[in-house]
mmCIF file of all heavy atoms in Angstrom:
data_model
loop_
_atom_site.group_PDB
_atom_site.id
_atom_site.type_symbol
_atom_site.label_atom_id
_atom_site.label_comp_id
_atom_site.label_asym_id
_atom_site.label_seq_id
_atom_site.Cartn_x
_atom_site.Cartn_y
_atom_site.Cartn_z
ATOM 1 N N MET A 7 -58.299 -74.548 -135.534
ATOM 2 C CA MET A 7 -58.191 -73.173 -135.997
ATOM 3 C C MET A 7 -59.246 -72.327 -135.288
ATOM 4 O O MET A 7 -60.357 -72.773 -135.108
ATOM 5 C CB MET A 7 -58.464 -73.141 -137.496
ATOM 6 C CG MET A 7 -57.321 -72.648 -138.315
ATOM 7 S SD MET A 7 -57.743 -72.285 -140.006
ATOM 8 C CE MET A 7 -57.359 -73.817 -140.796
ATOM 9 N N GLU A 8 -58.904 -71.128 -134.948
ATOM 10 C CA GLU A 8 -59.886 -70.281 -134.299
ATOM 11 C C GLU A 8 -60.789 -69.624 -135.335
ATOM 12 O O GLU A 8 -60.462 -69.557 -136.523
ATOM 13 C CB GLU A 8 -59.220 -69.258 -133.406
ATOM 14 C CG GLU A 8 -58.496 -68.154 -134.156
ATOM 15 C CD GLU A 8 -57.945 -67.115 -133.219
ATOM 16 O OE1 GLU A 8 -57.055 -67.457 -132.432
ATOM 17 O OE2 GLU A 8 -58.413 -65.975 -133.292
ATOM 18 N N GLN A 9 -61.933 -69.147 -134.899
ATOM 19 C CA GLN A 9 -62.951 -68.613 -135.801
ATOM 20 C C GLN A 9 -62.444 -67.473 -136.674
ATOM 21 O O GLN A 9 -62.775 -67.413 -137.861
ATOM 22 C CB GLN A 9 -64.172 -68.157 -135.008
ATOM 23 C CG GLN A 9 -65.054 -69.292 -134.603
ATOM 24 C CD GLN A 9 -66.328 -68.850 -133.917
ATOM 25 O OE1 GLN A 9 -66.677 -69.469 -132.956
ATOM 26 N NE2 GLN A 9 -66.999 -67.841 -134.370
ATOM 27 N N ALA A 10 -61.660 -66.582 -136.127
ATOM 28 C CA ALA A 10 -61.160 -65.449 -136.907
ATOM 29 C C ALA A 10 -60.267 -65.915 -138.051
ATOM 30 O O ALA A 10 -60.353 -65.391 -139.172
ATOM 31 C CB ALA A 10 -60.405 -64.470 -136.010
ATOM 32 N N MET A 11 -59.442 -66.918 -137.784
ATOM 33 C CA MET A 11 -58.561 -67.441 -138.832
ATOM 34 C C MET A 11 -59.371 -68.142 -139.927
ATOM 35 O O MET A 11 -59.074 -67.996 -141.110
ATOM 36 C CB MET A 11 -57.540 -68.403 -138.238
ATOM 37 C CG MET A 11 -56.487 -67.718 -137.392
ATOM 38 S SD MET A 11 -55.325 -68.886 -136.650
ATOM 39 C CE MET A 11 -54.567 -69.594 -138.082
ATOM 40 N N ILE A 12 -60.381 -68.870 -139.522
ATOM 41 C CA ILE A 12 -61.241 -69.540 -140.498
ATOM 42 C C ILE A 12 -61.977 -68.499 -141.327
ATOM 43 O O ILE A 12 -62.113 -68.638 -142.543
ATOM 44 C CB ILE A 12 -62.219 -70.500 -139.787
ATOM 45 C CG1 ILE A 12 -61.440 -71.659 -139.177
ATOM 46 C CG2 ILE A 12 -63.290 -71.003 -140.752
ATOM 47 C CD1 ILE A 12 -62.243 -72.557 -138.276
ATOM 48 N N GLY A 13 -62.428 -67.443 -140.684
ATOM 49 C CA GLY A 13 -63.107 -66.358 -141.392
ATOM 50 C C GLY A 13 -62.212 -65.709 -142.441
ATOM 51 O O GLY A 13 -62.648 -65.446 -143.569
ATOM 52 N N LYS A 14 -60.968 -65.472 -142.088
ATOM 53 C CA LYS A 14 -60.024 -64.887 -143.052
ATOM 54 C C LYS A 14 -59.772 -65.836 -144.208
ATOM 55 O O LYS A 14 -59.654 -65.421 -145.359
ATOM 56 C CB LYS A 14 -58.707 -64.539 -142.353
ATOM 57 C CG LYS A 14 -58.816 -63.349 -141.444
ATOM 58 C CD LYS A 14 -57.503 -63.054 -140.744
ATOM 59 C CE LYS A 14 -57.675 -61.918 -139.762
ATOM 60 N NZ LYS A 14 -56.445 -61.601 -139.055
ATOM 61 N N PHE A 15 -59.705 -67.129 -143.910
ATOM 62 C CA PHE A 15 -59.505 -68.127 -144.947
ATOM 63 C C PHE A 15 -60.698 -68.159 -145.912
ATOM 64 O O PHE A 15 -60.521 -68.188 -147.131
ATOM 65 C CB PHE A 15 -59.298 -69.505 -144.309
ATOM 66 C CG PHE A 15 -59.162 -70.617 -145.309
ATOM 67 C CD1 PHE A 15 -57.990 -70.757 -146.033
ATOM 68 C CD2 PHE A 15 -60.197 -71.509 -145.525
ATOM 69 C CE1 PHE A 15 -57.856 -71.775 -146.968
ATOM 70 C CE2 PHE A 15 -60.074 -72.529 -146.445
ATOM 71 C CZ PHE A 15 -58.898 -72.664 -147.175
ATOM 72 N N ILE A 16 -61.910 -68.156 -145.371
ATOM 73 C CA ILE A 16 -63.110 -68.155 -146.208
ATOM 74 C C ILE A 16 -63.133 -66.907 -147.083
ATOM 75 O O ILE A 16 -63.414 -66.973 -148.284
ATOM 76 C CB ILE A 16 -64.384 -68.240 -145.342
ATOM 77 C CG1 ILE A 16 -64.460 -69.620 -144.682
ATOM 78 C CG2 ILE A 16 -65.638 -67.962 -146.172
ATOM 79 C CD1 ILE A 16 -65.538 -69.740 -143.618
ATOM 80 N N SER A 17 -62.826 -65.767 -146.501
ATOM 81 C CA SER A 17 -62.807 -64.509 -147.252
ATOM 82 C C SER A 17 -61.787 -64.555 -148.384
ATOM 83 O O SER A 17 -62.082 -64.163 -149.517
ATOM 84 C CB SER A 17 -62.488 -63.347 -146.306
ATOM 85 O OG SER A 17 -62.414 -62.138 -147.016
ATOM 86 N N ALA A 18 -60.595 -65.053 -148.091
ATOM 87 C CA ALA A 18 -59.549 -65.131 -149.108
ATOM 88 C C ALA A 18 -59.948 -66.070 -150.242
ATOM 89 O O ALA A 18 -59.754 -65.749 -151.422
ATOM 90 C CB ALA A 18 -58.235 -65.601 -148.475
ATOM 91 N N CYS A 19 -60.539 -67.208 -149.900
ATOM 92 C CA CYS A 19 -60.980 -68.163 -150.930
ATOM 93 C C CYS A 19 -62.075 -67.557 -151.794
ATOM 94 O O CYS A 19 -62.077 -67.718 -153.020
ATOM 95 C CB CYS A 19 -61.481 -69.445 -150.287
ATOM 96 S SG CYS A 19 -60.189 -70.449 -149.548
ATOM 97 N N ARG A 20 -63.006 -66.874 -151.165
ATOM 98 C CA ARG A 20 -64.106 -66.228 -151.893
ATOM 99 C C ARG A 20 -63.573 -65.189 -152.865
ATOM 100 O O ARG A 20 -63.937 -65.157 -154.042
ATOM 101 C CB ARG A 20 -65.086 -65.585 -150.904
ATOM 102 C CG ARG A 20 -66.186 -64.777 -151.585
ATOM 103 C CD ARG A 20 -67.094 -64.106 -150.579
ATOM 104 N NE ARG A 20 -66.444 -63.160 -149.706
ATOM 105 C CZ ARG A 20 -66.126 -61.904 -150.041
ATOM 106 N NH1 ARG A 20 -66.364 -61.455 -151.250
ATOM 107 N NH2 ARG A 20 -65.554 -61.100 -149.160
ATOM 108 N N LYS A 21 -62.665 -64.355 -152.383
ATOM 109 C CA LYS A 21 -62.097 -63.296 -153.226
ATOM 110 C C LYS A 21 -61.246 -63.874 -154.346
ATOM 111 O O LYS A 21 -61.236 -63.348 -155.457
ATOM 112 C CB LYS A 21 -61.293 -62.328 -152.369
ATOM 113 C CG LYS A 21 -62.182 -61.503 -151.460
ATOM 114 C CD LYS A 21 -61.376 -60.638 -150.519
ATOM 115 C CE LYS A 21 -62.295 -59.882 -149.567
ATOM 116 N NZ LYS A 21 -61.550 -59.097 -148.594
ATOM 117 N N GLU A 22 -60.531 -64.958 -154.064
ATOM 118 C CA GLU A 22 -59.709 -65.619 -155.074
ATOM 119 C C GLU A 22 -60.569 -66.100 -156.242
ATOM 120 O O GLU A 22 -60.146 -66.069 -157.387
ATOM 121 C CB GLU A 22 -58.982 -66.799 -154.434
ATOM 122 C CG GLU A 22 -58.061 -67.543 -155.365
ATOM 123 C CD GLU A 22 -57.366 -68.678 -154.638
ATOM 124 O OE1 GLU A 22 -56.584 -68.390 -153.708
ATOM 125 O OE2 GLU A 22 -57.632 -69.841 -154.987
ATOM 126 N N LYS A 23 -61.793 -66.523 -155.924
ATOM 127 C CA LYS A 23 -62.715 -66.991 -156.955
ATOM 128 C C LYS A 23 -63.499 -65.838 -157.595
ATOM 129 O O LYS A 23 -64.296 -66.061 -158.493
ATOM 130 C CB LYS A 23 -63.682 -68.013 -156.368
ATOM 131 C CG LYS A 23 -63.001 -69.292 -155.939
ATOM 132 C CD LYS A 23 -63.995 -70.275 -155.380
ATOM 133 C CE LYS A 23 -63.313 -71.509 -154.844
ATOM 134 N NZ LYS A 23 -62.817 -72.370 -155.865
ATOM 135 N N GLY A 24 -63.273 -64.621 -157.108
ATOM 136 C CA GLY A 24 -63.935 -63.454 -157.666
ATOM 137 C C GLY A 24 -65.414 -63.363 -157.327
ATOM 138 O O GLY A 24 -66.199 -62.805 -158.085
ATOM 139 N N LEU A 25 -65.793 -63.902 -156.168
ATOM 140 C CA LEU A 25 -67.187 -63.897 -155.752
ATOM 141 C C LEU A 25 -67.440 -62.834 -154.695
ATOM 142 O O LEU A 25 -66.588 -62.579 -153.844
ATOM 143 C CB LEU A 25 -67.584 -65.256 -155.161
ATOM 144 C CG LEU A 25 -67.519 -66.473 -156.068
ATOM 145 C CD1 LEU A 25 -67.765 -67.742 -155.257
ATOM 146 C CD2 LEU A 25 -68.520 -66.352 -157.189
ATOM 147 N N THR A 26 -68.628 -62.238 -154.747
ATOM 148 C CA THR A 26 -69.061 -61.359 -153.665
ATOM 149 C C THR A 26 -69.666 -62.233 -152.573
ATOM 150 O O THR A 26 -69.932 -63.425 -152.786
ATOM 151 C CB THR A 26 -70.134 -60.363 -154.152
ATOM 152 O OG1 THR A 26 -71.300 -61.110 -154.543
ATOM 153 C CG2 THR A 26 -69.636 -59.518 -155.313
ATOM 154 N N GLN A 27 -69.905 -61.656 -151.426
ATOM 155 C CA GLN A 27 -70.558 -62.416 -150.358
ATOM 156 C C GLN A 27 -71.938 -62.872 -150.819
ATOM 157 O O GLN A 27 -72.354 -63.988 -150.524
ATOM 158 C CB GLN A 27 -70.672 -61.572 -149.091
ATOM 159 C CG GLN A 27 -69.366 -61.362 -148.378
ATOM 160 C CD GLN A 27 -69.513 -60.561 -147.099
ATOM 161 O OE1 GLN A 27 -70.537 -59.928 -146.850
ATOM 162 N NE2 GLN A 27 -68.464 -60.573 -146.291
ATOM 163 N N MET A 28 -72.645 -62.022 -151.546
ATOM 164 C CA MET A 28 -73.976 -62.366 -152.043
ATOM 165 C C MET A 28 -73.910 -63.548 -153.006
ATOM 166 O O MET A 28 -74.724 -64.468 -152.928
ATOM 167 C CB MET A 28 -74.616 -61.160 -152.734
ATOM 168 C CG MET A 28 -76.008 -61.442 -153.251
ATOM 169 S SD MET A 28 -77.214 -61.762 -151.962
ATOM 170 C CE MET A 28 -77.593 -60.110 -151.475
ATOM 171 N N GLN A 29 -72.938 -63.536 -153.903
ATOM 172 C CA GLN A 29 -72.802 -64.631 -154.867
ATOM 173 C C GLN A 29 -72.481 -65.952 -154.167
ATOM 174 O O GLN A 29 -73.026 -66.995 -154.528
ATOM 175 C CB GLN A 29 -71.724 -64.306 -155.904
ATOM 176 C CG GLN A 29 -72.129 -63.198 -156.850
ATOM 177 C CD GLN A 29 -70.964 -62.702 -157.689
ATOM 178 O OE1 GLN A 29 -69.828 -62.622 -157.220
ATOM 179 N NE2 GLN A 29 -71.256 -62.353 -158.942
ATOM 180 N N LEU A 30 -71.593 -65.904 -153.177
ATOM 181 C CA LEU A 30 -71.273 -67.117 -152.433
ATOM 182 C C LEU A 30 -72.503 -67.617 -151.686
ATOM 183 O O LEU A 30 -72.792 -68.810 -151.684
ATOM 184 C CB LEU A 30 -70.118 -66.878 -151.458
ATOM 185 C CG LEU A 30 -69.719 -68.074 -150.602
ATOM 186 C CD1 LEU A 30 -69.322 -69.271 -151.454
ATOM 187 C CD2 LEU A 30 -68.584 -67.699 -149.652
ATOM 188 N N ALA A 31 -73.236 -66.705 -151.085
ATOM 189 C CA ALA A 31 -74.447 -67.082 -150.361
ATOM 190 C C ALA A 31 -75.457 -67.749 -151.301
ATOM 191 O O ALA A 31 -76.050 -68.778 -150.952
ATOM 192 C CB ALA A 31 -75.063 -65.857 -149.700
ATOM 193 N N GLU A 32 -75.628 -67.189 -152.481
ATOM 194 C CA GLU A 32 -76.556 -67.777 -153.445
ATOM 195 C C GLU A 32 -76.096 -69.174 -153.863
ATOM 196 O O GLU A 32 -76.903 -70.090 -153.985
ATOM 197 C CB GLU A 32 -76.691 -66.878 -154.669
ATOM 198 C CG GLU A 32 -77.477 -65.617 -154.392
ATOM 199 C CD GLU A 32 -77.471 -64.637 -155.554
ATOM 200 O OE1 GLU A 32 -76.827 -64.900 -156.595
ATOM 201 O OE2 GLU A 32 -78.126 -63.587 -155.409
ATOM 202 N N LYS A 33 -74.805 -69.337 -154.051
ATOM 203 C CA LYS A 33 -74.251 -70.637 -154.437
ATOM 204 C C LYS A 33 -74.510 -71.691 -153.362
ATOM 205 O O LYS A 33 -74.760 -72.851 -153.666
ATOM 206 C CB LYS A 33 -72.744 -70.490 -154.686
ATOM 207 C CG LYS A 33 -72.051 -71.756 -155.094
ATOM 208 C CD LYS A 33 -70.580 -71.524 -155.341
ATOM 209 C CE LYS A 33 -69.906 -72.844 -155.675
ATOM 210 N NZ LYS A 33 -68.492 -72.738 -155.846
ATOM 211 N N LEU A 34 -74.474 -71.275 -152.104
ATOM 212 C CA LEU A 34 -74.662 -72.195 -150.985
ATOM 213 C C LEU A 34 -76.108 -72.247 -150.483
ATOM 214 O O LEU A 34 -76.407 -72.952 -149.517
ATOM 215 C CB LEU A 34 -73.739 -71.796 -149.829
ATOM 216 C CG LEU A 34 -72.242 -71.832 -150.130
ATOM 217 C CD1 LEU A 34 -71.451 -71.273 -148.954
ATOM 218 C CD2 LEU A 34 -71.795 -73.240 -150.468
ATOM 219 N N ASN A 35 -76.988 -71.452 -151.118
ATOM 220 C CA ASN A 35 -78.403 -71.381 -150.720
ATOM 221 C C ASN A 35 -78.588 -70.928 -149.277
ATOM 222 O O ASN A 35 -79.329 -71.541 -148.503
ATOM 223 C CB ASN A 35 -79.114 -72.721 -150.951
ATOM 224 C CG ASN A 35 -79.183 -73.083 -152.402
ATOM 225 O OD1 ASN A 35 -79.479 -72.239 -153.250
ATOM 226 N ND2 ASN A 35 -78.889 -74.325 -152.722
ATOM 227 N N ILE A 36 -77.866 -69.870 -148.926
ATOM 228 C CA ILE A 36 -77.969 -69.278 -147.594
ATOM 229 C C ILE A 36 -78.092 -67.766 -147.761
ATOM 230 O O ILE A 36 -77.991 -67.251 -148.871
ATOM 231 C CB ILE A 36 -76.730 -69.616 -146.723
ATOM 232 C CG1 ILE A 36 -75.455 -69.103 -147.392
ATOM 233 C CG2 ILE A 36 -76.653 -71.112 -146.440
ATOM 234 C CD1 ILE A 36 -74.229 -69.190 -146.522
ATOM 235 N N ILE A 37 -78.266 -67.048 -146.664
ATOM 236 C CA ILE A 37 -78.335 -65.588 -146.745
ATOM 237 C C ILE A 37 -76.932 -64.997 -146.666
ATOM 238 O O ILE A 37 -76.035 -65.581 -146.056
ATOM 239 C CB ILE A 37 -79.247 -64.989 -145.650
ATOM 240 C CG1 ILE A 37 -78.756 -65.345 -144.245
ATOM 241 C CG2 ILE A 37 -80.686 -65.461 -145.842
ATOM 242 C CD1 ILE A 37 -79.521 -64.662 -143.141
ATOM 243 N N ASN A 38 -76.766 -63.837 -147.289
ATOM 244 C CA ASN A 38 -75.440 -63.229 -147.340
ATOM 245 C C ASN A 38 -74.941 -62.794 -145.963
ATOM 246 O O ASN A 38 -73.744 -62.734 -145.725
ATOM 247 C CB ASN A 38 -75.398 -62.063 -148.327
ATOM 248 C CG ASN A 38 -76.266 -60.902 -147.932
ATOM 249 O OD1 ASN A 38 -77.417 -61.079 -147.534
ATOM 250 N ND2 ASN A 38 -75.741 -59.711 -148.056
ATOM 251 N N ARG A 39 -75.831 -62.531 -145.033
ATOM 252 C CA ARG A 39 -75.395 -62.150 -143.677
ATOM 253 C C ARG A 39 -74.632 -63.280 -143.003
ATOM 254 O O ARG A 39 -73.749 -63.043 -142.185
ATOM 255 C CB ARG A 39 -76.592 -61.725 -142.837
ATOM 256 C CG ARG A 39 -77.172 -60.389 -143.277
ATOM 257 C CD ARG A 39 -78.312 -60.017 -142.378
ATOM 258 N NE ARG A 39 -79.365 -61.016 -142.499
ATOM 259 C CZ ARG A 39 -80.605 -60.762 -142.862
ATOM 260 N NH1 ARG A 39 -80.976 -59.541 -143.125
ATOM 261 N NH2 ARG A 39 -81.493 -61.726 -142.948
ATOM 262 N N ALA A 40 -74.972 -64.525 -143.364
ATOM 263 C CA ALA A 40 -74.254 -65.673 -142.789
ATOM 264 C C ALA A 40 -72.801 -65.654 -143.241
ATOM 265 O O ALA A 40 -71.888 -65.875 -142.443
ATOM 266 C CB ALA A 40 -74.925 -66.984 -143.194
ATOM 267 N N VAL A 41 -72.576 -65.365 -144.530
ATOM 268 C CA VAL A 41 -71.204 -65.299 -145.048
ATOM 269 C C VAL A 41 -70.442 -64.186 -144.341
ATOM 270 O O VAL A 41 -69.289 -64.367 -143.942
ATOM 271 C CB VAL A 41 -71.197 -65.077 -146.585
ATOM 272 C CG1 VAL A 41 -69.781 -64.905 -147.099
ATOM 273 C CG2 VAL A 41 -71.891 -66.233 -147.301
ATOM 274 N N SER A 42 -71.090 -63.063 -144.145
ATOM 275 C CA SER A 42 -70.455 -61.945 -143.442
ATOM 276 C C SER A 42 -70.055 -62.351 -142.018
ATOM 277 O O SER A 42 -68.945 -62.041 -141.571
ATOM 278 C CB SER A 42 -71.407 -60.753 -143.394
ATOM 279 O OG SER A 42 -70.850 -59.702 -142.649
ATOM 280 N N LYS A 43 -70.935 -63.055 -141.336
ATOM 281 C CA LYS A 43 -70.633 -63.488 -139.962
ATOM 282 C C LYS A 43 -69.473 -64.472 -139.941
ATOM 283 O O LYS A 43 -68.649 -64.443 -139.029
ATOM 284 C CB LYS A 43 -71.868 -64.106 -139.309
ATOM 285 C CG LYS A 43 -72.903 -63.074 -138.929
ATOM 286 C CD LYS A 43 -74.079 -63.726 -138.243
ATOM 287 C CE LYS A 43 -75.094 -62.690 -137.823
ATOM 288 N NZ LYS A 43 -76.215 -63.291 -137.097
ATOM 289 N N TRP A 44 -69.407 -65.352 -140.934
ATOM 290 C CA TRP A 44 -68.278 -66.285 -141.003
ATOM 291 C C TRP A 44 -66.980 -65.518 -141.150
ATOM 292 O O TRP A 44 -65.999 -65.803 -140.483
ATOM 293 C CB TRP A 44 -68.393 -67.219 -142.186
ATOM 294 C CG TRP A 44 -69.577 -68.112 -142.232
ATOM 295 C CD1 TRP A 44 -70.431 -68.436 -141.201
ATOM 296 C CD2 TRP A 44 -70.044 -68.811 -143.370
ATOM 297 N NE1 TRP A 44 -71.392 -69.292 -141.649
ATOM 298 C CE2 TRP A 44 -71.190 -69.549 -142.972
ATOM 299 C CE3 TRP A 44 -69.624 -68.897 -144.691
ATOM 300 C CZ2 TRP A 44 -71.890 -70.352 -143.869
ATOM 301 C CZ3 TRP A 44 -70.327 -69.701 -145.564
ATOM 302 C CH2 TRP A 44 -71.446 -70.416 -145.146
ATOM 303 N N GLU A 45 -66.983 -64.568 -142.099
ATOM 304 C CA GLU A 45 -65.748 -63.857 -142.434
ATOM 305 C C GLU A 45 -65.262 -62.950 -141.313
ATOM 306 O O GLU A 45 -64.078 -62.658 -141.228
ATOM 307 C CB GLU A 45 -65.934 -63.079 -143.730
ATOM 308 C CG GLU A 45 -66.068 -64.000 -144.934
ATOM 309 C CD GLU A 45 -66.160 -63.271 -146.255
ATOM 310 O OE1 GLU A 45 -66.159 -62.018 -146.276
ATOM 311 O OE2 GLU A 45 -66.221 -63.969 -147.290
ATOM 312 N N THR A 46 -66.172 -62.507 -140.456
ATOM 313 C CA THR A 46 -65.771 -61.671 -139.331
ATOM 314 C C THR A 46 -65.524 -62.490 -138.067
ATOM 315 O O THR A 46 -65.193 -61.936 -137.019
ATOM 316 C CB THR A 46 -66.845 -60.594 -139.038
ATOM 317 O OG1 THR A 46 -68.087 -61.244 -138.768
ATOM 318 C CG2 THR A 46 -66.982 -59.621 -140.197
ATOM 319 N N GLY A 47 -65.680 -63.810 -138.165
ATOM 320 C CA GLY A 47 -65.420 -64.677 -137.029
ATOM 321 C C GLY A 47 -66.519 -64.709 -135.995
ATOM 322 O O GLY A 47 -66.323 -65.191 -134.886
ATOM 323 N N LYS A 48 -67.717 -64.206 -136.351
ATOM 324 C CA LYS A 48 -68.826 -64.195 -135.397
ATOM 325 C C LYS A 48 -69.580 -65.515 -135.368
ATOM 326 O O LYS A 48 -70.304 -65.780 -134.421
ATOM 327 C CB LYS A 48 -69.781 -63.048 -135.713
ATOM 328 C CG LYS A 48 -69.139 -61.701 -135.491
ATOM 329 C CD LYS A 48 -70.073 -60.576 -135.788
ATOM 330 C CE LYS A 48 -69.351 -59.254 -135.554
ATOM 331 N NZ LYS A 48 -70.154 -58.127 -135.959
ATOM 332 N N SER A 49 -69.431 -66.314 -136.414
ATOM 333 C CA SER A 49 -70.041 -67.638 -136.432
ATOM 334 C C SER A 49 -69.248 -68.518 -137.386
ATOM 335 O O SER A 49 -68.357 -68.053 -138.084
ATOM 336 C CB SER A 49 -71.510 -67.578 -136.856
ATOM 337 O OG SER A 49 -71.627 -67.225 -138.213
ATOM 338 N N MET A 50 -69.610 -69.800 -137.396
ATOM 339 C CA MET A 50 -68.912 -70.772 -138.234
ATOM 340 C C MET A 50 -69.908 -71.413 -139.183
ATOM 341 O O MET A 50 -71.054 -71.638 -138.809
ATOM 342 C CB MET A 50 -68.306 -71.860 -137.358
ATOM 343 C CG MET A 50 -67.233 -71.374 -136.420
ATOM 344 S SD MET A 50 -65.688 -71.164 -137.256
ATOM 345 C CE MET A 50 -65.282 -72.856 -137.532
ATOM 346 N N PRO A 51 -69.449 -71.751 -140.397
ATOM 347 C CA PRO A 51 -70.357 -72.449 -141.309
ATOM 348 C C PRO A 51 -70.615 -73.870 -140.829
ATOM 349 O O PRO A 51 -69.777 -74.476 -140.167
ATOM 350 C CB PRO A 51 -69.604 -72.458 -142.643
ATOM 351 C CG PRO A 51 -68.178 -72.272 -142.291
ATOM 352 C CD PRO A 51 -68.154 -71.486 -141.015
ATOM 353 N N ASP A 52 -71.778 -74.361 -141.166
ATOM 354 C CA ASP A 52 -72.106 -75.755 -140.870
ATOM 355 C C ASP A 52 -71.174 -76.644 -141.681
ATOM 356 O O ASP A 52 -70.819 -76.309 -142.813
ATOM 357 C CB ASP A 52 -73.559 -76.020 -141.252
ATOM 358 C CG ASP A 52 -74.026 -77.381 -140.809
ATOM 359 O OD1 ASP A 52 -74.356 -77.535 -139.630
ATOM 360 O OD2 ASP A 52 -74.033 -78.280 -141.673
ATOM 361 N N VAL A 53 -70.793 -77.751 -141.122
ATOM 362 C CA VAL A 53 -69.869 -78.674 -141.787
ATOM 363 C C VAL A 53 -70.401 -79.091 -143.162
ATOM 364 O O VAL A 53 -69.644 -79.232 -144.102
ATOM 365 C CB VAL A 53 -69.598 -79.900 -140.896
ATOM 366 C CG1 VAL A 53 -68.767 -80.928 -141.619
ATOM 367 C CG2 VAL A 53 -68.921 -79.466 -139.610
ATOM 368 N N SER A 54 -71.714 -79.248 -143.273
ATOM 369 C CA SER A 54 -72.295 -79.685 -144.544
ATOM 370 C C SER A 54 -72.107 -78.653 -145.660
ATOM 371 O O SER A 54 -72.170 -78.997 -146.834
ATOM 372 C CB SER A 54 -73.782 -79.996 -144.367
ATOM 373 O OG SER A 54 -74.507 -78.822 -144.034
ATOM 374 N N LEU A 55 -71.857 -77.402 -145.310
ATOM 375 C CA LEU A 55 -71.654 -76.345 -146.306
ATOM 376 C C LEU A 55 -70.196 -76.209 -146.735
ATOM 377 O O LEU A 55 -69.905 -75.582 -147.739
ATOM 378 C CB LEU A 55 -72.132 -74.990 -145.768
ATOM 379 C CG LEU A 55 -73.615 -74.863 -145.483
ATOM 380 C CD1 LEU A 55 -73.902 -73.541 -144.805
ATOM 381 C CD2 LEU A 55 -74.423 -74.984 -146.766
ATOM 382 N N MET A 56 -69.305 -76.801 -145.973
ATOM 383 C CA MET A 56 -67.883 -76.614 -146.228
ATOM 384 C C MET A 56 -67.454 -77.075 -147.633
ATOM 385 O O MET A 56 -66.629 -76.444 -148.259
ATOM 386 C CB MET A 56 -67.037 -77.319 -145.171
ATOM 387 C CG MET A 56 -67.227 -76.759 -143.769
ATOM 388 S SD MET A 56 -66.783 -75.040 -143.610
ATOM 389 C CE MET A 56 -65.030 -75.170 -143.496
ATOM 390 N N LEU A 57 -68.031 -78.154 -148.136
ATOM 391 C CA LEU A 57 -67.649 -78.634 -149.459
ATOM 392 C C LEU A 57 -68.055 -77.653 -150.551
ATOM 393 O O LEU A 57 -67.387 -77.542 -151.572
ATOM 394 C CB LEU A 57 -68.274 -80.010 -149.744
ATOM 395 C CG LEU A 57 -67.688 -81.147 -148.931
ATOM 396 C CD1 LEU A 57 -68.442 -82.438 -149.218
ATOM 397 C CD2 LEU A 57 -66.205 -81.328 -149.216
ATOM 398 N N GLY A 58 -69.107 -76.895 -150.324
ATOM 399 C CA GLY A 58 -69.539 -75.889 -151.278
ATOM 400 C C GLY A 58 -68.600 -74.706 -151.359
ATOM 401 O O GLY A 58 -68.671 -73.908 -152.300
ATOM 402 N N LEU A 59 -67.702 -74.586 -150.416
ATOM 403 C CA LEU A 59 -66.738 -73.484 -150.415
ATOM 404 C C LEU A 59 -65.549 -73.749 -151.317
ATOM 405 O O LEU A 59 -64.773 -72.847 -151.600
ATOM 406 C CB LEU A 59 -66.245 -73.219 -148.980
ATOM 407 C CG LEU A 59 -67.301 -72.766 -147.992
ATOM 408 C CD1 LEU A 59 -66.709 -72.713 -146.585
ATOM 409 C CD2 LEU A 59 -67.865 -71.425 -148.376
ATOM 410 N N LYS A 60 -65.395 -75.008 -151.781
ATOM 411 C CA LYS A 60 -64.245 -75.365 -152.620
ATOM 412 C C LYS A 60 -64.268 -74.623 -153.923
ATOM 413 O O LYS A 60 -65.210 -74.349 -154.513
ATOM 414 C CB LYS A 60 -64.227 -76.857 -152.927
ATOM 415 C CG LYS A 60 -63.909 -77.691 -151.755
ATOM 416 C CD LYS A 60 -63.764 -79.150 -152.001
ATOM 417 C CE LYS A 60 -63.908 -79.651 -153.394
ATOM 418 N NZ LYS A 60 -63.718 -81.048 -153.590
#
């Protein structure tokens, strides 16, 4: 999957759970800018964080 598609998927999952980017970042112990970069396709989450997105 390309980064933009993964970003859209992360965004959709986050919104489905009713979380803001800040709330998701706090849940994963990261900064909210990282979540923003994922969702815009500018970067990818580390594999170790992927399970926290469930």
Side-chain angles (χ1 to χ4, degrees):
M7 241 192 267
E8 72 176 65
Q9 281 185 222
M11 289 178 63
I12 292 171
K14 288 179 184 180
F15 177 74
I16 292 170
S17 178
C19 289
R20 174 183 61 80
K21 291 175 183 177
E22 182 179 296
K23 294 181 185 287
L25 297 172
T26 64
Q27 287 182 346
M28 181 66 81
Q29 290 169 323
L30 179 58
E32 288 173 358
K33 180 179 177 184
L34 299 174
N35 295 317
I36 59 171
I37 59 174
N38 65 315
R39 289 182 298 238
V41 176
S42 176
K43 286 182 178 183
W44 299 343
E45 291 184 358
T46 58
K48 294 180 181 174
S49 69
M50 295 281 289
D52 188 80
V53 174
S54 65
L55 296 173
M56 296 299 281
L57 290 176
L59 297 173
K60 290 185 2 178

